[in-house]
Amino acid sequence: MTTERSTEPLEQAILTALQQGDKNRGQLFDLTGTSYPLLVQALQHLKHQNRIETDFVPDGAVFVLTYRLRPTH
């Protein structure tokens, strides 16, 4: 099992990518070059920490789960 600490560099890469705009899992997978299970784990951890949020964005006839930085107030 992967520890939280081992996902820190990946989480930082995700946060950096999301600074450029919303991304879906496929885009983040392509940008990070990591395994899909590790990517999902890092995304879930960031969401649990309230650092990112998700939304379903229309893409043609389907809606795609998309990640974005959570606004800071």
Side-chain angles (χ1 to χ4, degrees), residues 21-58:
D22 299 356
K23 306 275 187 280
N24 63 44
R25 281 186 186 175
Q27 291 167 320
L28 291 169
F29 175 81
D30 291 343
L31 288 169
T32 61
T34 190
S35 71
Y36 200 76
L38 188 57
L39 175 64
V40 170
Q41 179 184 353
L43 288 168
Q44 289 173 337
H45 185 250
L46 287 169
K47 190 171 179 187
H48 179 71
Q49 290 181 320
N50 293 319
R51 297 182 75 187
I52 64 172
E53 60 187 19
T54 57
D55 192 16
F56 286 95
V57 176

